[in-house]
Amino acid sequence: MMKSIPAICLLPLIFASCGDADKTSGKEEQTLLAKGQEEFNKAKIEAEKVKQGAEEAMAPMIEWTRKAAEKGHKDAQIALSGLYYFGRNELPRQAEKAKEWFEKAAAQGWIEARYYLGRMYAEGDGVKRDMDEALRQWSIAAQGGIAEAQYQLGLFYIQGKETFEQGIYWLKQAANGTVADASLALGKIYANGLGPIQPQKQEAAKWYRQAAEYGNKQGQFIYGLMCMEGAGTAKDEKQGFSYIQLAAGQDYLPAVHQLIRCYKEGIGTPVDEDKARAWEQRAQELEARQPE
């Protein structure tokens, strides 16, 4: 299972997060990088214009970024790889070029590039699909502390009997690195049992709660139900209601239906027919959006 990841390289954030060029040795190389820094500074000026809505600044921003990247400026390479990977207006998404610049940035120590390269190899995106190479890239990124890579390794390894424990290890690393889906996955594993792990309600509640605290709507819903039922945690209908309410606020339909029931029956909250009717209307709107 692959998940969509927030675009950490999208403008204007990528330019705001980039620092100065790395220190290098050799007069010629220093001169080249100094020129690259000048060009990248110009790219950041144009990026600020783009941020303010001046789309005509996009083309010069891309050009200055490319020039700096070709001179070995690491932050420019990071920016360019992101621009090609995600695409934007005048610059259509170009996976093969993104891979090229991810590799250059990775060679200069940008560990996050390893995660994206792993995704590209796993998905056959701009390159021939190669899970061995994907796992190699993710392993480097995971060991470097990239939580999303830890999550992908965890998902892959729990599928194998001999690698199951390794998978649990990486899922826990990712979960503690604030990857909500990793916390949710662990909650499901401990709730239902998987491989050598038998169902453990308290452990499941722990991970569902963590997913809920990270804002995961399914985690909020499930942990809310557990609180209401006293499953794996102390029974607390009021607290359960608060988590159900959070999930419903994210338009999670099962939570919306549960919230209606809470208002009608007074579960964790006083009976309120008006609020129940309002949420019934919201449920109808959400159901109407679902494909047949």
Side-chain angles (χ1 to χ4, degrees), residues 121-282:
Y121 278 107
E123 298 171 353
D125 180 17
V127 66
K128 184 178 179 180
R129 188 173 186 274
D130 186 338
M131 279 307 301
D132 288 338
E133 182 61 19
L135 292 171
R136 188 182 78 83
Q137 295 289 349
W138 281 337
S139 293
I140 296 172
Q143 290 165 16
I146 306 303
E148 291 291 350
Q150 294 168 348
Y151 173 58
Q152 295 299 339
L153 282 183
L155 289 180
F156 183 84
Y157 286 137
I158 60 170
Q159 299 176 54
K161 183 176 180 180
E162 295 181 356
T163 58
F164 184 85
E165 289 186 8
Q166 192 175 3
I168 293 296
Y169 168 81
W170 284 118
L171 283 177
K172 288 182 177 180
Q173 292 294 308
N176 291 328
T178 71
V179 177
D181 283 350
S183 300
L184 186 67
L186 287 165
K188 291 179 179 179
I189 289 170
Y190 284 105
N192 303 311
L194 183 67
I197 292 179
Q198 297 299 311
Q200 301 174 41
K201 288 185 178 180
Q202 288 186 336
E203 191 70 8
K206 166 189 167 182
W207 293 109
Y208 279 133
R209 178 169 185 168
Q210 183 166 294
E213 295 298 330
Y214 289 159
N216 182 278
K217 59 188 178 184
Q218 190 175 359
Q220 291 168 344
F221 172 64
I222 295 173
Y223 185 67
L225 290 179
M226 295 182 83
C227 288
M228 288 181 171
E229 297 168 0
T233 187
K235 185 173 182 177
D236 188 334
E237 290 185 346
K238 186 175 181 180
Q239 184 179 48
F241 173 81
S242 68
Y243 280 103
I244 296 295
Q245 194 174 37
L246 288 172
Q250 295 195 64
D251 288 340
Y252 188 54
L253 191 55
V256 172
H257 285 303
Q258 180 63 25
L259 195 63
I260 295 167
R261 182 185 170 212
C262 288
Y263 280 123
K264 285 186 173 182
E265 300 179 16
I267 304 173
T269 187
V271 172
D272 192 323
E273 290 293 339
D274 289 338
K275 288 183 178 179
R277 281 192 292 271
W279 280 104
E280 284 176 336
Q281 182 177 349
R282 185 58 180 161

Side-chain angles (χ1 to χ4, degrees), residues 71-82:
K71 291 180 175 62
H73 192 288
K74 184 177 74 172
D75 288 341
Q77 293 174 350
I78 293 171
L80 198 59
S81 62

Side-chain angles (χ1 to χ4, degrees), residues 31-188:
T31 300
L32 190 65
L33 284 179
K35 181 62 175 176
Q37 183 65 54
E38 290 178 11
E39 293 169 340
F40 192 56
N41 287 340
K42 293 178 181 179
K44 289 193 284 186
I45 291 172
E46 299 301 321
E48 186 61 29
K49 294 177 184 177
V50 173
K51 180 181 177 181
Q52 299 301 321
E55 288 297 322
E56 66 275 9
M58 189 72 181
M61 183 208 72
I62 294 168
E63 183 62 16
W64 286 120
T65 303
R66 182 187 60 77
K67 288 181 177 181
E70 290 174 346
K71 291 180 175 62
H73 192 288
K74 184 177 74 172
D75 288 341
Q77 293 174 350
I78 293 171
L80 198 59
S81 62
L83 288 167
Y84 280 127
Y85 186 75
F86 296 105
R88 179 180 170 126
N89 299 342
E90 290 89 346
L91 187 69
R93 186 177 189 276
Q94 300 177 55
E96 292 182 0
K97 287 189 176 181
K99 174 180 174 291
E100 173 189 349
W101 291 107
F102 275 137
E103 288 175 336
K104 291 181 184 296
Q108 293 208 64
W110 189 48
I111 195 68
E112 288 91 338
R114 301 288 184 180
Y115 165 71
Y116 286 105
L117 287 168
R119 277 184 62 115
M120 297 182 83
Y121 278 107
E123 298 171 353
D125 180 17
V127 66
K128 184 178 179 180
R129 188 173 186 274
D130 186 338
M131 279 307 301
D132 288 338
E133 182 61 19
L135 292 171
R136 188 182 78 83
Q137 295 289 349
W138 281 337
S139 293
I140 296 172
Q143 290 165 16
I146 306 303
E148 291 291 350
Q150 294 168 348
Y151 173 58
Q152 295 299 339
L153 282 183
L155 289 180
F156 183 84
Y157 286 137
I158 60 170
Q159 299 176 54
K161 183 176 180 180
E162 295 181 356
T163 58
F164 184 85
E165 289 186 8
Q166 192 175 3
I168 293 296
Y169 168 81
W170 284 118
L171 283 177
K172 288 182 177 180
Q173 292 294 308
N176 291 328
T178 71
V179 177
D181 283 350
S183 300
L184 186 67
L186 287 165
K188 291 179 179 179

